[in-house]
Amino acid sequence: MRAFWLEQALSGDGGLAPALQGEQVADVCIVGGGFTGLWTAIALKQQHSALDIAVLERDLCGAGASGRNGGCLLTWCAKFLTLQRLFGEAEAVRLVRASQEAVDHIGRFVREHGIDAEFRRDGTLYTATTRAQVGTMEPVMRALQAHGLCSYHNVPPDEVVQRAGSARHLAGVYSPVAATVHPGKLVRGLRRVALQMGVRIYERSPMQQLRHGPPAVVQTPWGSIRAGKVVLALNAWMAEALPAFERSIAIVSSDMVITERCPELLHATGLRDGIAVLDSRIFVYYYRSTPDGRLMLGKGGNTFARGGRITPVFDQRSPCEAELEQALHGFFPSLRGVPLTASWNGPSDRSVSGLPFFGRLPGAPHICYGLGYSGNGVGPSHMGGRILASLVLERDDAWSRSPLVQGPVGWFPPEPIRYAGSLLVRNAIRRKERAEEQDRQPWWIDRMLSSFASAAGKSDKQ
Ligand SMILES: Cc1cc2nc3c(=O)[nH]c(=O)nc-3n(C[C@H](O)[C@H](O)[C@H](O)COP(=O)(O)OP(=O)(O)OC[C@H]3O[C@@H](n4cnc5c(N)ncnc54)[C@H](O)[C@@H]3O)c2cc1C
């Protein structure tokens, strides 16, 4: 199933690139045509225009998470404490700054290259929809302030309600350093720019086998590419492609709904710009308007993959459509009569730390990888492209030296414990948050189990 965004974007671009045929050679072969793969290709061309780069995509560029996400382009500010705990203060400061700069880099890039990605730099509101959520941003805001990084400020409750367009919000903090984009148009725009820069793109060309070499050989159904360097930018599909990564991520769905156009009704709620609104649950509700007057709402943490296998349930109408519609009407009672245009879902690659990780395959340093964005990849995948380009070019710089490049920082338990444990924790979170919605004290066991999911720090979008 094509997600709504990709359908919209495809109607305006050149269609399908050819599938890989025959035995070919490239300097760099990038496997995966999402944000990570395409930003890497572009960063490589920007630094070394003579490189011969081929991108192999299983389906269409953008068919993975990059063409189906909520388009909330956020920073790593909310992850500062996790970054500091894992990587130390100096690197945490550098990465948060870089994540803030990524918002502007992407804005500039789409402007300069004429990509109509509906980039709106209207900031983000982290809100509380229950009393238990009030104040959850305080510790990270204090730490950010102490390092001169804090772009957040508390907003009076009536202003939160007005800017978010919903009386469900009790409190909130606002940061102007965030944007929203049309993810389908962004990813297809990156594809167009990569092609114009001379990158060869092959769609409907899944990697079926990877021979390490060197040189490495990537085999597809009708061809192969021999390359000195390979970049695996496979996101949630990495666990299927390389079983060694199976326990490095938990694959969990994010589900979305979008309404028909209703600009007047939306305008009347107060939601008048491209602000991204997120509440402070563990599996957050997030929503935003679109420039053509629709409301999009999403929530992560619904369906889990067993053993890293991405089954068809991740590629269809959302199984949670009714629940999401109810939530949408809870936030926006005035939209009750507005039909949904579509619902869909997609797999997210939740890492143990809640942060992406990068590296080189053991024993095959010419093969690099990057994944694990944990539901917050629209902005950070731009940084991912810079990291992977530095690894490919063997540069000695802040990106190649970053501790993000040391591979997974932890592993999930093996199956069937991981799957059973995921459901146990998910159900505990649901009970805890239902109790909090009703202003009841959650059971201690649910609080304890929920802490496993939040231990890695605040998860922005899952
Ligand atoms: C429903 C949903 C909502 C989200 N909302 C947000 C949001 O609002 N904000 C945010 O920051 N993040 C969000 N995310 C996360 C974000 O979309 C991802 O972190 C980001 O798109 C990752 O980009 P990527 O290129 O690494 O992965 P992908 O875009 O998934 O790219 C991987 C590509 O590899 C291809 N592939 C797989 N197997 C093979 C193979 N064998 N051979 C060749 N190609 C292969 C896939 O088809 C895919 O195109 C959301 C994710 C989902 C699923």
Side-chain angles (χ1 to χ4, degrees):
M1 190 191 95
R2 298 256 167 272
F4 176 75
W5 303 127
L6 195 58
E7 283 293 356
Q8 279 197 329
L10 283 171
S11 63
D13 78 18
L16 194 63
L20 180 73
Q21 307 271 354
E23 290 182 9
Q24 306 218 13
V25 177
D27 295 324
V28 185
C29 175
I30 298 174
V31 190
F35 290 146
T36 302
L38 293 169
W39 280 125
T40 304
I42 290 167
L44 283 168
K45 275 289 186 189
Q46 283 171 333
Q47 294 175 53
H48 201 316
S49 61
L51 274 182
D52 179 19
I53 303 172
V55 173
L56 295 182
E57 164 54 44
R58 174 189 62 110
D59 185 358
L60 298 182
C61 290
S66 299
R68 341 177 162 200
N69 58 73
C72 303
L73 204 176
L74 307 171
T75 68
W76 278 351
C77 287
K79 294 182 186 284
F80 179 74
L81 295 172
T82 307
L83 288 165
Q84 193 179 26
R85 176 170 55 80
L86 292 174
F87 305 144
E89 186 168 308
E91 181 66 1
V93 169
R94 188 187 80 80
L95 289 171
V96 166
R97 282 226 172 89
S99 74
Q100 293 175 326
E101 286 160 13
V103 178
D104 293 324
H105 279 306
I106 295 172
R108 231 181 356 260
F109 188 89
V110 297
R111 249 191 335 273
E112 283 169 5
H113 293 274
I115 300 175
D116 173 24
E118 299 176 3
F119 180 92
R120 291 182 295 169
R121 199 184 186 285
D122 291 326
T124 182
L125 258 179
Y126 280 100
T127 75
T129 47
T130 63
R131 284 200 306 157
Q133 292 171 25
V134 175
T136 50
M137 286 288 284
E138 289 298 327
V140 77
M141 279 170 67
R142 273 198 301 275
L144 289 166
Q145 252 148 17
H147 293 87
L149 290 170
C150 194
S151 62
Y152 290 97
H153 61 268
N154 280 301
V155 180
D158 53 341
E159 197 183 320
V160 175
V161 166
Q162 189 237 316
R163 290 209 64 182
S166 167
R168 280 285 318 275
H169 304 283
L170 307 177
V173 298
Y174 174 76
S175 165
V177 191
T180 51
V181 292
H182 186 303
K185 292 183 181 174
L186 177 58
V187 70
R188 297 298 292 181
L190 296 182
R191 172 186 174 278
R192 181 201 19 104
V193 174
L195 283 169
Q196 286 167 349
M197 292 172 115
V199 174
R200 288 185 278 146
I201 295 184
Y202 300 99
E203 294 180 306
R204 303 261 162 86
S205 301
M207 175 178 79
Q208 292 184 316
Q209 202 193 6
L210 171 63
R211 289 200 296 278
H212 288 185
V217 179
V218 183
Q219 187 74 46
T220 69
W222 305 283
S224 65
I225 294 199
R226 192 152 45 83
K229 297 280 170 75
V230 169
V231 174
L232 300 172
L234 291 166
N235 186 28
W237 287 268
M238 185 74 164
E240 270 180 359
L242 273 84
F245 283 83
E246 198 223 296
R247 287 176 49 213
S248 68
I249 50 172
I251 297 166
V252 52
S253 74
S254 210
D255 294 66
M256 327 224 45
V257 291
I258 190 160
T259 66
E260 292 283 287
R261 296 186 66 235
C262 53
E264 291 82 15
L265 285 175
L266 271 184
H267 197 260
T269 67
L271 188 65
R272 293 184 185 165
D273 59 15
I275 195 169
V277 182
L278 296 84
D279 72 5
S280 301
R281 292 161 191 269
I282 293 173
F283 294 128
V284 300
Y285 279 117
Y286 54 100
Y287 67 76
R288 68 177 175 90
S289 67
T290 64
D292 69 348
R294 303 170 190 270
L295 188 86
M296 174 228 88
L297 177 136
K299 185 176 180 13
N302 301 303
T303 309
F304 289 82
R306 206 187 295 233
R309 279 188 305 279
I310 300 183
T311 51
V313 72
F314 287 97
D315 199 21
Q316 59 185 34
R317 275 187 92 93
S318 166
C320 314
E321 183 179 305
E323 185 206 319
L324 292 185
E325 189 174 27
Q326 199 184 349
L328 189 149
H329 293 156
F331 282 106
F332 294 96
S334 61
L335 301 193
R336 273 185 200 283
V338 181
L340 294 183
T341 306
S343 76
W344 66 94
N345 73 1
S348 267
D349 48 351
R350 169 81 205 189
S351 69
V352 170
S353 64
L355 292 164
F357 52 89
F358 301 82
R360 300 181 164 96
L361 290 190
H366 53 295
I367 304 178
C368 314
Y369 60 84
L371 68 153
Y373 295 98
S374 304
N376 178 359
V378 176
S381 58
H382 181 267
M383 299 197 285
R386 294 176 76 178
I387 290 174
L388 289 164
S390 277
L391 292 184
V392 167
L393 298 174
E394 298 181 23
R395 291 207 193 289
D396 180 18
D397 60 17
W399 292 116
S400 61
R401 283 196 300 271
S402 170
L404 285 172
V405 178
Q406 64 198 7
V409 299
W411 302 91
F412 288 100
E415 296 291 15
I417 300 170
R418 174 164 34 131
Y419 183 69
S422 303
L423 297 189
L424 192 73
V425 170
R426 180 197 68 184
N427 293 342
I429 292 170
R430 285 181 176 173
R431 284 192 301 273
K432 171 179 170 288
E433 292 183 340
R434 206 171 308 126
E436 288 168 352
E437 272 166 23
Q438 296 162 359
D439 247 344
R440 285 190 287 110
Q441 179 74 359
W443 296 342
W444 73 266
I445 181 82
D446 289 340
R447 285 206 309 274
M448 194 269 287
L449 287 170
S450 301
S451 67
F452 285 113
S454 47
K458 186 180 188 324
S459 167
D460 280 320
K461 300 260 346 354
Q462 276 195 16

